[in-house]
Amino acid sequence: MLDSKTLTQFIIEEQRKISGATGEFTLLVNDIATSCKAISDGVNHGALADVLGSAESENVQGETQKKMDILSNDIMLHVNGHNGHVAAMASEELEEISAVPQGAKHGKYLLVFDPLDGSSNMDINVSVGTIFSVLRAPEGIEEPTEADFLQPGTQQVCAGYALYGPCTIMVLTTGNGVNGFTLDQDIGEFILTHPNMTIPEDTQEFAINMSNQRFWEAPIKRYIDECVAGKEGPRGKDFNMRWVASMVAEVHRILTRGGIFMYPIDSKLKSKGQGGKLRLMYEANPMSMIVEQAGGASTTGRERILDIQPQEIHQRVPVVLGSKNEVERVTGYHQQ
Ligand SMILES: O=P(O)(O)OC[C@H]1O[C@](O)(COP(=O)(O)O)[C@@H](O)[C@@H]1O
Ligand SMILES: [Mg+2]
Ligand SMILES: [Mg+2]
């Protein structure tokens, strides 16, 4: 085991290639990794600790928060807010952005995160995760505002997730490919186990919540009908289907064996005045950077997600991501 690289060693080596790197980014990634180790420990305790079930509160999305949503949010804020590497943070579980505590040193990064993704799976012991995105804070500004966070996904310095499944894995990119690290619970270190993850351009596996079928737009209906028609249909090949209801688990499966994941816009979401289900800043953007860095593609069905100019911190967008040729086919159907 000791001949494998730890996450910290890997990031230090990467940063050495960047002239002018101060080491602050390495320390930030270390803090995020520490946060995810603590969240992993919480998740793994399940009913042994008071982390299952709902809290008596709602988040800005109008969703009833799970106890683990709140605990993981507190962990991310506490661990990353006190070490002087971030200037401010934003979270799925907070309506407003969170400035670093009074008196704490301000760092040069902005941290955006979904502290617990797939939280509807927490009580049924199915994989959940944490998703994060790192942006640069505007220089010389003491108190960043929400507007400073509203940068297109192409401006991300780093994006990653931790998946709390049968084992805990952290996957991240700093713009030089995608690497995965498995948490060795014995030594408490993330170890490089999945170097240079890539997504095959073709796939025969799709993921979508089929129960929304009657609300879908025609291009999505056509694409899924053709997949379901299989060999006998215009695609001439059979497709398999998966739906874990944790975006982190879907994306990890796609990074591991290919696939296409879709949470498209539909008439039900539109009727609620929503631009999609998933959130741009802390779900779609970080996952899109990872997917593109692994050779895949990520669109709304109509445009590249990383090119979108964000309008507000909890903005929702349609998501179609994964194996390049399938994503391009779905996007093509939207243009016809
Ligand atoms: O409940 P549905 O329609 O299956 O949606 C599942 C999707 O919602 C999410 O759970 C939303 O994320 P949160 O759990 O962080 O709110 C995604 O992880 C997942 O892909
Ligand atoms: Mg989520
Ligand atoms: Mg969440």
Side-chain angles (χ1 to χ4, degrees), residues 59 61 63 69 92-93 114-121 128-129 131 208-209 211-212 243-250 261-263 268 277-279 282-283 316:
N59 64 16
Q61 337 267 338
E63 295 158 348
D69 280 322
E92 176 193 4
E93 302 305 332
D114 175 353
L116 194 75
D117 180 62
S119 41
S120 67
N121 283 327
V128 291
I131 310 173
I208 195 167
N209 184 337
S211 69
N212 294 324
W243 188 250
V244 185
S246 285
M247 184 188 195
V248 174
E250 319 278 6
F261 165 79
M262 291 168 274
Y263 214 117
K268 183 173 70 174
K277 157 93 181 197
L278 301 171
R279 283 55 59 118
Y282 42 81
E283 291 171 323
R316 299 171 186 259

Side-chain angles (χ1 to χ4, degrees), residues 168-187:
T168 290
I169 289 187
M170 178 177 277
V171 169
L172 87 162
T173 180
T174 58
N176 307 310
V178 177
N179 295 278
F181 304 80
T182 303
L183 179 60
D184 181 326
Q185 305 275 9
D186 299 332
I187 63 173

Side-chain angles (χ1 to χ4, degrees), residues 106-123:
H106 283 223
K108 57 183 186 183
Y109 298 107
L110 302 174
L111 178 61
V112 196
F113 52 85
D114 175 353
L116 194 75
D117 180 62
S119 41
S120 67
N121 283 327
M122 183 63 203
D123 298 351

